[in-house]
Amino acid sequence: MDVDPSRKAEQALPLIEIFAQLDAAEMTELAARFQTRSLKRGEAVIRQGEPADALYIVVSGRFSVTREGRRTPIAEIGPDQPIGEIGFITNSASRTATVTAMRDSIVLRLDRGDFEQLTRKHPMIWRSLAMTLAQRLAVTTAAAPPPPDPRPRTVAIIRAGDSPQPMAFYLKMATIFERSGKTLVLDSQSAPDAVKVGAKNESAAATRALNALEAGADFVLFLADPEPTAWSEKVIRHADLVLAVGQHDASHEPNALEALAAKFLPQDAMRLVLLHSERRPISGTSRWLRDRRIAMHHHIAMSESEGYERLFRFIAGTARGLVACGGGALCATHIGVYRALREQGYDFDIMGGTSAGSAMVAAFAFGNSPDEIDAAIHDIFVANKAMKRYTLPRYSLLDHQHFDAQLRRYFGGVDIEDLWLPFYSVSTNLSSYRLHVHRNGDLWTAIRASASIPVLLPPIYTSEGEMLVDGALLDNVPIGPMHELKSGPNVVVSFLLPDMERFNVDYEALPSRSALMRSAMNPLRRTRLPAAPGLGTVLMRSLMANRQDYNRHIGEEDLLLVPPIASEFGFLDWHRHSELVKFGYDWTLSDLQRRRADEA
């Protein structure tokens, strides 16, 4: 950190709450003790565990607050806010968090020694600070602090691979940003001279100028130069988010601009945008992802506005997701729910699901109509009896090759990363006992793993030797992975099953192996078997036992739909798919109308 004495602390201190009670003389003397320092993006101003020996005030820039053991930031700090004030004023032995510059920033620093000398001369300064801090702590204790705002305000656009400068994309996105808020659009030609002072991107003056420009806008949209210039590096380091934009059919090797961005930005601040001349089936996206660490990639058909709008919603934190639950044959209900939602104006930007629910949303992401999906279910499970062909129970009860062949006819030969809509499915990793989120690779494998009902079907084994089974085992309503991928609203579908369903079965009447074999050879004796649930039903009910755990992940913006499935429908009743589709449609329309009436 380099000292820059040109900045006067008097301009910043009166805006800080903990100094608000000081008189003019005390403020002047306090300000004289501060030093001005500039920090580069990624530089920590304080670190967890270090001595709390200084107080900092943010003049310009943005900082993230993180703690060991937590993957996401716990807070963000902006201009005119203090850093480390609690540990400093309460004389704590060490810092409780790490605070890192999210872009080039400027802070004021006050050493403990200078502070103690000043408070001995002006005791009222200490009393004022103590009272203000106590009030702040009381407010903090009374109500949990809001979560950090992940929405970026400064976005830099760079070219990806050997694609040309994405001017058309830049202008289109600028129009969308400007329609959504006050937006400053800057490239190296239009930027004010103050931003380009001496063409030194380390300049504290240029950092202050950029932060001052940002203060008067809702968004700042930068266009980097085609090559790594001083301007390119400055806007990359100043950006909350970098969009690397390339033509899908161009050479995919990362260029020097992308390497520069990867040097300064974390993975979650990088997105890849792939442009297509028109909407048509995609292939080969995996080559673009192989050598890049990005949060997400987006496909845009340049002939349509839909993709640009969707990308903006992801940036602005308003992208809407659809989360589908597991439930065997009951998942046909999703088709009716989806039809009703679309008719009522709901569009979706990303979809994810568990078990059979993942197959449903994958079909939605393909763009298939509800009628086409309903017909496909009939073809797979009724006409071709995908779950009716049994085998010797060495690896599973069902003939998995027959089941797999039916599923492959609809989902084979497609990679997840080649879908126009972002998609994920979840499975249970029995090697690591963790949830496995499928976001790339073969789509059929992701769906098949997510729906690998233990015992009925063999697990999917990865090239790393991991064993994957049905995702419902750990997460039957995978809203958690959706929140990790994006901010914004979601429609979450779960099924309301009977809370208490009793089975009047005489356990002692369950037949022995020899009795079952005799019954199998004599069809006339089958009616004498007790009416107890079969193995498939027991397995599915076991997988659904954790379905209520999703409630802790439902956010304020999420719409939870819980169709009450009648007990007459079973988990393996695939032949009743059309009834479930109709039920889902009718119930969802009624529920949405009721919600609107309640809000009126």
Side-chain angles (χ1 to χ4, degrees), residues 117-414:
Q117 288 181 17
L118 186 61
T119 53
R120 282 196 294 268
K121 184 177 180 181
H122 299 283
M124 288 300 296
I125 291 180
W126 173 250
R127 180 181 176 184
S128 175
L129 295 182
M131 290 178 61
T132 304
L133 183 59
Q135 293 171 357
R136 292 187 63 191
L137 290 174
V139 172
T140 302
T141 304
D149 183 4
R151 296 164 177 80
R153 294 184 59 203
T154 56
V155 179
I157 295 173
I158 66 175
R159 65 184 189 89
D162 71 349
S163 299
Q165 186 80 327
M167 284 301 303
F169 171 85
Y170 171 64
L171 296 174
K172 179 70 173 180
M173 291 304 299
T175 300
I176 296 173
F177 271 87
E178 289 169 344
R179 190 173 66 235
S180 303
K182 186 176 181 181
T183 302
L184 185 64
V185 181
L186 293 176
D187 58 24
S188 58
Q189 300 302 312
S190 63
D193 290 340
V195 173
K196 301 179 291 186
V197 171
K200 290 186 177 182
N201 57 353
E202 296 87 3
S203 165
T207 298
R208 284 198 300 272
L210 280 174
N211 284 317
L213 288 172
E214 180 192 343
D218 297 310
F219 299 104
V220 181
L221 190 63
F222 297 112
L223 177 65
D225 290 331
E227 301 299 332
T229 61
W231 168 257
S232 296
E233 180 173 342
K234 189 63 181 177
V235 300
I236 286 172
R237 285 179 23 181
H238 196 80
D240 299 326
L241 175 69
V242 166
L243 302 178
V245 184
Q247 301 284 346
H248 185 270
D249 56 0
S251 175
H252 65 278
E253 296 295 334
N255 60 42
L257 277 174
E258 294 178 274
L260 187 64
K263 174 183 176 182
F264 291 115
L265 275 72
Q267 180 175 347
D268 59 5
M270 290 283 298
R271 290 178 183 261
L272 174 68
V273 180
L274 296 175
L275 304 178
H276 306 257
S277 59
E278 59 184 358
R279 179 179 289 269
R280 59 190 176 196
I282 302 171
S283 63
T285 303
S286 59
R287 64 192 174 94
W288 282 92
L289 305 180
R290 194 172 300 121
D291 299 319
R292 289 175 172 86
R293 295 177 65 255
I294 58 173
M296 189 178 291
H297 71 281
H298 304 266
H299 294 289
I300 291 181
M302 299 180 68
S303 58
E304 304 172 358
S305 62
E306 179 182 354
Y308 296 95
E309 299 283 356
R310 176 175 296 116
L311 174 60
F312 176 78
R313 289 193 291 271
F314 273 102
I315 295 172
T318 60
R320 178 183 284 134
L322 176 62
V323 180
C325 67
L330 304 182
C331 287
T333 306
H334 287 102
I335 303 172
V337 172
Y338 181 69
R339 168 179 275 160
L341 288 167
R342 292 304 306 274
E343 287 182 3
Q344 296 299 306
Y346 285 81
D347 292 318
F348 298 97
D349 302 304
I350 179 174
M351 300 183 182
T354 294
S355 195
S358 71
M360 299 301 163
V361 291
F364 301 155
F366 264 129
N368 294 332
S369 71
D371 287 339
E372 289 173 329
I373 301 169
D374 191 29
I377 290 177
H378 186 86
D379 179 44
I380 294 172
F381 295 103
V382 180
N384 286 286
K385 301 180 179 179
M387 297 192 72
K388 292 290 187 180
R389 184 176 293 183
Y390 291 89
T391 185
L392 294 176
R394 172 63 177 85
Y395 303 103
S396 63
L397 293 180
L398 293 176
D399 180 356
H400 71 284
Q401 292 195 1
H402 176 66
F403 178 88
D404 294 353
Q406 307 311 313
L407 203 62
R408 244 192 207 102
R409 287 193 294 116
Y410 289 92
F411 297 109
V414 177

Side-chain angles (χ1 to χ4, degrees), residues 1-2 38-47 63 99-103:
M1 292 191 296
D2 300 321
S38 60
L39 294 94
K40 296 180 181 179
R41 182 185 190 120
E43 189 174 358
V45 61
I46 62 175
R47 294 185 182 276
F63 293 81
V99 180
T100 306
M102 300 174 67
R103 63 177 68 140

Side-chain angles (χ1 to χ4, degrees), residues 16-19 46 52 54-58 65 77 81-92 95-96 99 110 112 115 126 129-130 132-134 136-137 140:
I16 310 303
E17 181 184 2
I18 60 174
F19 301 127
I46 62 175
L55 167 70
Y56 296 87
I57 306 296
V58 180
V65 183
I77 300 174
Q81 292 183 310
I83 295 176
E85 76 281 10
I86 295 178
F88 178 77
I89 296 176
T90 60
N91 203 23
S92 297
R95 304 290 190 187
T96 59
V99 180
L110 177 65
R112 183 176 297 282
F115 176 76
W126 173 250
L129 295 182
T132 304
L133 183 59
R136 292 187 63 191
L137 290 174
T140 302

Side-chain angles (χ1 to χ4, degrees), residues 407-427:
L407 203 62
R408 244 192 207 102
R409 287 193 294 116
Y410 289 92
F411 297 109
V414 177
D415 286 339
I416 294 174
E417 52 265 42
D418 289 329
L419 294 175
W420 282 97
L421 282 183
F423 164 86
Y424 69 88
S425 68
V426 300
S427 61

